[in-house]
Amino acid sequence: MKKIEKKLQIAVFGASGYAGGELLRLLHLHPEVAVTLVTSEKSAGKPVDSVFPHLTAYNQMAFERIDFTSGQADRADLFFLALPHKTAQKTAAFLFNKGKCVIDLSADFRLRNPAVYEKWYQTPHTERAILKKTVYGLPELYRSKIRRAKLVANPGCYPTGAVLGLIPALRKSLVEPENLVIDSKSGVSGAGRAGRQELIFSEISGGFKAYSLAVHRHTPEIEQEISAVSGRDITLDFTPHLVPMNRGILTTIYARLTDTKMTLKEIHTVYRRAYAKEPFVKVLPLGQYPSTKNVQGTNFCHVGLQVNPRTDRLLVVTAIDNLTKGAAGQALQNMNIMMGYEEMTGINSMAVFP
Ligand SMILES: NC(=O)c1ccc[n+]([C@@H]2O[C@H](COP(=O)([O-])OP(=O)(O)OC[C@H]3O[C@@H](n4cnc5c(N)ncnc54)[C@H](OP(=O)(O)O)[C@@H]3O)[C@@H](O)[C@H]2O)c1
């Protein structure tokens, strides 16, 4: 008789938001898991497909309020938290202390130094003991630690595209880690589903703009990981832009070469080798540059390279989907690693095109 394997039970907190909705879409495609609990405060009691009509498979499931007095912690093995930062801290701590696996998509556990978190997020970090046990969930850097982790801090969307664009060059000291300039353009879903005047269609469409210059909260997160790879404390310039599209982040990185005799072909070979075994990072052939369209709805990060011999700079361009490799897809990749599933399970889709 065929052995019936029990599926891993999954809860998605903040399932009515953009990242939570994308998690539900992807989890439905995963053969090893079953979603058993979804939360929303504002839409509690409503069926999932009344909030997300495209998620037809969830028509029998309704959102619930977060309420640990009702035994919610016992209703899943692994909890995805797609909640706003500050809100995730106590929820993650409670579940972690109950022995549950937690993947937190918010910024609450990404910064290893709580003082840096408190400075940039202007709020106390109340869960410092648990912060120490958290693993930063960028598989391309921390895969072996993620395998053993109970609490994973899923990286921010901008940091994912920026850090993946720099790892090979920094590891091989091809560029100076000082004086890096990182310029990113994001689709509007990066700001979440809660409406704000500056995010409505008439404000966004027909133009695009930079925002949070020199103060964006993803700056310390990028600096933390660039410093870890470089082995020294790095400060850098990061400028985000909001473009009139729904999803996607295109990042352009400007880095000064350490050896100006190094050719583009040699640098390209370094990148190709560094990512040869990475299932979700694709270094494009020379002369091709990434487009957000080619990664839409996928967990891929595309990387393109050029050298400017007039300025002795390496130019790196990366493209990700902010909701997939930048959030829900990477969260599932982390789940696959934590649970010992094949890493691409449920997230091996190609882009929707055009
Ligand atoms: N959007 C992205 O591209 C992206 C990428 C990487 C990481 N993230 C991170 O992922 C998290 C979710 O982002 P998002 O873009 O999905 O945001 P969102 O669309 O605004 O969704 C937020 C979710 O959290 C719930 N929520 C809000 N306040 C709450 C509270 N006080 N208590 C309990 N639940 C609450 C909302 O439920 P209601 O139905 O009650 O409003 C909703 O389900 C954030 O921490 C964000 O920084 C987002």
Side-chain angles (χ1 to χ4, degrees), residues 3-76:
K3 198 175 149 206
I4 299 168
E5 298 284 348
K6 187 174 169 278
K7 292 195 173 190
L8 187 78
Q9 299 197 322
I10 302 287
V12 178
F13 282 22
S16 58
Y18 282 150
E22 183 72 348
L23 271 167
L24 293 181
R25 183 179 76 86
L26 295 172
L27 285 162
H28 178 64
L29 303 172
H30 198 295
E32 310 282 354
V33 307
V35 176
T36 51
L37 172 63
V38 290
T39 81
S40 158
E41 304 308 294
K42 291 188 191 129
S43 298
K46 291 187 187 165
V48 171
D49 65 338
S50 70
V51 171
F52 286 127
H54 67 296
L55 297 179
T56 47
Y58 293 89
N59 60 1
Q60 298 300 315
M61 185 168 243
F63 293 108
E64 299 174 40
R65 283 203 173 81
I66 300 174
D67 175 13
F68 287 126
T69 63
S70 68
Q72 283 177 342
D74 301 320
R75 288 174 49 198

Side-chain angles (χ1 to χ4, degrees), residues 203-216:
E203 302 280 331
I204 294 293
S205 63
F208 90 101
K209 62 179 183 185
Y211 69 100
S212 296
L213 276 83
V215 295
H216 194 278

Side-chain angles (χ1 to χ4, degrees), residues 14 16-19 40-42 82-84 87 105-106 189-190 192-193 322 326:
S16 58
Y18 282 150
S40 158
E41 304 308 294
K42 291 188 191 129
L83 302 168
T87 316
L105 281 77
S106 86
S189 63
R193 207 177 189 197
N322 57 296

Side-chain angles (χ1 to χ4, degrees), residues 106-327:
S106 86
D108 281 353
F109 294 87
R110 293 183 199 148
L111 294 167
R112 285 187 274 278
N113 182 345
V116 176
Y117 174 87
E118 291 180 350
K119 178 179 162 209
W120 286 80
Y121 287 85
Q122 292 290 299
T123 190
H125 205 300
T126 57
E127 307 299 336
R128 292 175 177 225
I130 287 164
L131 180 61
K132 283 197 185 115
K133 296 175 182 163
T134 307
V135 175
Y136 186 77
L138 192 67
E140 294 76 8
L141 279 182
Y142 300 110
R143 184 172 281 105
S144 58
K145 286 188 176 169
I146 295 166
R147 248 179 227 126
R148 302 188 300 271
K150 292 289 261 183
L151 173 56
V152 165
N154 214 56
C157 46
Y158 286 127
T160 296
V163 175
L164 289 177
L166 278 163
I167 293 170
L170 291 172
R171 278 200 176 142
K172 294 280 181 193
S173 302
L174 304 185
V175 297
E176 295 169 7
E178 292 82 14
N179 301 314
L180 288 170
V181 177
I182 302 174
D183 172 286
S184 291
K185 302 104 200 154
S186 173
V188 186
S189 63
R193 207 177 189 197
R196 298 204 302 267
Q197 188 182 331
E198 68 267 28
L199 299 176
I200 62 175
F201 181 79
S202 49
E203 302 280 331
I204 294 293
S205 63
F208 90 101
K209 62 179 183 185
Y211 69 100
S212 296
L213 276 83
V215 295
H216 194 278
R217 286 164 164 175
H218 285 177
T219 310
E221 191 182 329
I222 300 170
E223 287 177 346
Q224 168 181 284
E225 296 311 316
I226 295 303
S227 300
V229 177
S230 311
R232 50 198 207 246
D233 284 343
I234 298 304
T235 313
L236 49 78
D237 274 299
F238 167 64
T239 304
H241 301 73
L242 207 53
V243 296
M245 60 183 185
N246 287 338
R247 21 197 318 166
I249 293 180
L250 193 82
T251 295
T252 311
I253 303 165
Y254 304 82
R256 195 171 289 281
L257 289 162
T258 48
D259 176 2
T260 55
K261 291 193 194 70
M262 190 95 179
T263 65
L264 174 60
K265 206 166 167 225
E266 287 167 329
I267 296 169
H268 187 254
T269 302
V270 169
Y271 269 72
R272 276 266 163 115
R273 283 197 184 135
Y275 286 133
K277 291 193 178 138
E278 284 302 337
F280 292 111
V281 185
K282 184 176 171 191
V283 181
L284 301 184
L286 285 175
Q288 286 185 26
Y289 303 110
S291 160
T292 55
K293 234 177 169 40
N294 297 335
V295 293
Q296 196 163 284
T298 82
N299 198 47
F300 286 96
C301 173
H302 285 186
V303 182
L305 301 167
Q306 184 53 280
V307 165
N308 186 349
R310 298 171 62 243
T311 57
D312 293 331
R313 282 187 207 279
L314 173 65
L315 312 177
V316 187
V317 183
T318 68
I320 60 166
D321 184 324
N322 57 296
L323 290 177
T324 320
K325 183 63 174 165

